[in-house]
Amino acid sequence: MSQAEPTSDSAPFFSSDSEAEGPDDQPAVQTEEPASGVSRVRALLTVLILCYINLLNYMDRFTVAGTILRMFPVCFSVVFICSYMFLAPFFGYLGDRYNRKFIMSFGITFWSAVTLASSYTPKEHFWALLLTRGLVGVGEASYSTIAPTIIADLYVKEKRTNMLSIFYFAIPVGSGLGYIVGSQVSNIAKDWHWALRVTPALGLIAVLLLLFVVKEPKRGAIEARPEHQLHQTSWLVDLQDLSKNCSFILSTFGFTAVAFVTGSLALWAPTFLFRAAVFTGEREPCVEAHCASSDSLIFGAITCVTGILGVATGVQVSRQLRTRTPRADPLVCAAGLLLSAPFLYLAIVFAQASTIATYVNEGFSSCFFFQYVVVPTRRSTAEALQIVVSHLLGDAGSPYLIGVVSDSLRKNDSFLWQFRSLQLSLLLCSFVAVIGGGFFLATALFIERDRERAENYVHADDEPIVVPKSGRSTRVPVSSVLI
């Protein structure tokens, strides 16, 4: 290959003057027009807009948990997660091949419309509410599988990690705001329907920002891997390659443990805190719709604060540790899970002595997908596959499992056993957190190799071609016909 070829390949990704000015002037032009095709200011705005949408995403997801509908946590969890995880591979496939901005715009519009429709569902048509909440997963699947890959195509190395951290700040903050909005809006309006009408209005703003501000970056160009040089393989080939990526597989199981614990706590923690307060005599027994709204409010606020502190601390520790070892990211995730396990255990155990101690100890670790171990053209598919596995084995069934274990341990319907059985079942979460930490430790053993493999990935030149043979066409390797 001649030296002129890479220059011509990279020229379209810079300004039109780069070809005329020559190689000596290209660095200055490259600074003005990044290889991704998105300016620095617009790239930063893109991250902030995607963070805002991700916040709405989790805010909408957990609004239900803060309303009267928390009395049916398993129903809504299973319906939503099933639609979400089964549609994620479909949108992951589209996200690796088509314009991601338009796909997300459609998904957010659909998700906002369905959420608004669910707020007008009469209480006697519970099946319609389940259906609309399930359809919300369609929109969220279109966004969650694609948005991180756009950030990955805008930044590299430390900047990518920092920007993804900003993006994932929205998870604990959005989840906490979901509890707050769900509990307080339904309590003020005396009608849970109004709680579901907050995010659709904010979703309309998100769509407008996405369409008129966000610009689609070129896949892989920021990593000196121009989009037209990246070979697009079939979906089955993508899955086959991902199945051989040890870092991806092990980190996926680690995220599954995170999903198991967060899914269980998200739906059962307010109920557990209320039962603990009744058990200690701090609260009177209550069966009304909004009697435990204060627990949702407090839990939501704590989720926001501890989530922000946890992510910020993890980013800073990872940044410092990265100067010493390239395995910093999985090691920080492992440390976060392993350290959170005893605190979670103590929070659950101390609930019988003081609910204040339980509130203080309700912190948890937050990690995210290591984009750099996967080739750019497969990142949406990898994100989707990770969503499927982590939800299928994690929060799709963990709330139900906690409920089943609690019911099996309950000896009678007294307030004592309602609290004690749920307490014992929630202790399972601390053990799952330890297992998740072990998976992230195992990820650290392979992440250097898999990162180097992804960065230096070159599609095999010995690609099968079609040649005539005995009156028929057959696919044979290039080396067998070019001698």
Side-chain angles (χ1 to χ4, degrees):
M1 180 179 292
S2 66
Q3 295 181 354
E5 290 178 353
T7 303
S8 62
D9 288 339
S10 59
F13 295 92
F14 306 122
S15 67
S16 58
D17 296 334
S18 61
E19 296 182 23
E21 292 177 356
D24 294 337
D25 296 328
Q26 283 188 6
V29 177
Q30 183 176 356
T31 301
E32 297 177 3
E33 184 70 20
S36 63
V38 182
S39 66
R40 292 182 178 179
V41 174
R42 179 166 284 193
L44 180 58
L45 288 175
T46 297
V47 173
L48 295 178
I49 291 171
L50 294 179
C51 182
Y52 166 70
I53 300 173
N54 202 32
L55 185 145
L56 292 182
N57 179 7
Y58 281 87
M59 181 176 167
D60 177 79
R61 187 183 303 185
F62 287 95
T63 295
V64 171
T67 67
I68 184 178
L69 301 177
R70 64 176 172 267
M71 293 187 297
F72 312 98
V74 176
C75 299
F76 291 105
S77 174
V78 171
V79 171
F80 169 80
I81 294 299
C82 285
S83 65
Y84 180 57
M85 69 181 181
F86 284 122
L87 287 167
F90 171 72
F91 286 107
Y93 175 87
L94 296 179
D96 281 334
R97 290 159 177 82
Y98 302 101
N99 189 292
R100 292 168 287 187
K101 183 176 76 170
F102 294 145
I103 296 173
M104 289 192 299
S105 299
F106 164 77
I108 296 169
T109 303
F110 184 84
W111 142 40
S112 300
V114 172
T115 300
L116 183 62
S118 66
S119 69
Y120 290 97
T121 304
K123 61 181 181 180
E124 59 268 16
H125 293 89
F126 185 71
W127 63 270
L129 183 60
L130 281 178
L131 176 62
T132 53
R133 292 307 297 175
L135 291 175
V136 168
V138 177
E140 294 200 17
S142 68
Y143 174 78
S144 299
T145 57
I146 296 176
T149 68
I150 291 181
I151 298 177
D153 284 335
L154 292 173
Y155 298 95
V156 293
K157 298 181 179 179
E158 288 79 11
K159 286 188 176 180
R160 175 186 291 171
T161 301
N162 293 338
M163 293 303 173
L164 283 173
S165 300
I166 294 175
F167 175 78
Y168 285 109
F169 262 116
I171 295 180
V173 177
S175 302
L177 288 177
Y179 278 103
I180 295 172
V181 170
S183 61
Q184 297 308 299
V185 173
S186 60
N187 192 28
I188 294 173
K190 303 301 180 182
D191 185 358
W192 60 266
H193 292 88
W194 283 98
L196 301 179
R197 295 168 187 168
V198 177
T199 53
L202 299 175
L204 177 61
I205 299 175
V207 172
L208 295 176
L209 291 173
L210 193 60
L211 288 175
F212 295 105
V213 179
V214 174
K215 183 179 179 181
E216 174 83 358
K218 297 179 176 67
R219 290 182 179 87
I222 196 70
E223 300 166 288
R225 305 273 297 276
E227 186 172 9
H228 62 275
Q229 287 185 346
L230 292 172
H231 189 90
Q232 190 72 62
T233 54
S234 67
W235 190 63
L236 293 178
V237 172
D238 292 347
L239 294 181
Q240 184 179 10
D241 181 81
L242 290 173
S243 67
K244 300 176 182 178
N245 191 321
C246 295
S247 297
F248 171 74
I249 296 298
L250 291 170
S251 64
T252 297
F253 286 121
F255 290 122
T256 301
V258 174
F260 183 99
V261 178
T262 54
S264 300
L265 293 178
L267 292 177
W268 285 113
T271 301
F272 173 70
L273 292 172
F274 176 73
R275 292 182 182 181
V278 173
F279 175 76
T280 58
E282 299 175 15
R283 301 280 294 273
E284 292 294 329
C286 179
V287 294
E288 296 178 5
H290 305 286
C291 59
S293 61
S294 61
D295 294 303
S296 295
L297 174 62
I298 297 173
F299 184 75
I302 291 176
T303 301
C304 290
V305 174
T306 57
I308 292 175
L309 293 177
V311 174
T313 302
V315 170
Q316 293 301 320
V317 173
S318 179
R319 181 182 300 174
Q320 296 297 324
L321 188 60
R322 199 178 292 115
T323 61
R324 300 183 179 182
T325 174
R327 302 175 178 178
D329 291 335
L331 289 178
V332 169
C333 288
L337 278 172
L338 294 176
L339 288 175
S340 67
F343 283 102
L344 180 60
Y345 179 87
L346 293 174
I348 296 172
V349 171
F350 283 159
Q352 65 188 47
S354 173
T355 55
I356 297 178
T358 304
Y359 282 127
V360 171
N361 284 291
E362 280 287 359
F364 197 69
S365 172
S366 178
C367 296
F368 50 85
F369 174 39
F370 310 128
Q371 296 274 351
Y372 49 74
V373 300
V374 177
V375 179
T377 54
R378 293 171 179 158
R379 284 174 180 162
S380 290
T381 298
E383 193 84 38
L385 184 60
Q386 192 167 86
I387 286 174
V388 171
V389 175
S390 61
H391 286 308
L392 181 63
L393 303 179
D395 53 352
S398 62
Y400 177 77
L401 177 62
I402 295 298
V404 170
V405 173
S406 177
D407 290 341
S408 64
L409 295 175
R410 187 187 306 171
K411 295 183 178 180
N412 53 59
D413 290 332
S414 65
F415 290 112
L416 169 63
W417 277 106
Q418 285 181 3
F419 162 72
R420 185 69 72 189
S421 61
L422 185 57
Q423 180 187 45
L424 295 175
S425 62
L426 285 175
L427 289 177
L428 179 64
C429 294
S430 60
F431 295 100
V432 174
V434 174
I435 296 173
F439 279 119
F440 280 119
L441 287 177
T443 302
L445 300 175
F446 301 96
I447 198 162
E448 288 184 85
R449 184 198 69 183
D450 293 332
R451 180 175 188 170
E452 182 179 359
R453 177 172 173 264
E455 291 177 347
N456 300 317
Y457 173 80
V458 177
H459 186 71
D461 293 329
D462 198 25
E463 185 74 4
I465 62 174
V466 179
V467 298
K469 181 179 181 180
S470 302
R472 297 181 179 179
S473 296
T474 184
R475 298 176 64 87
V476 298
V478 176
S479 58
S480 66
V481 295
L482 298 180
I483 302 176

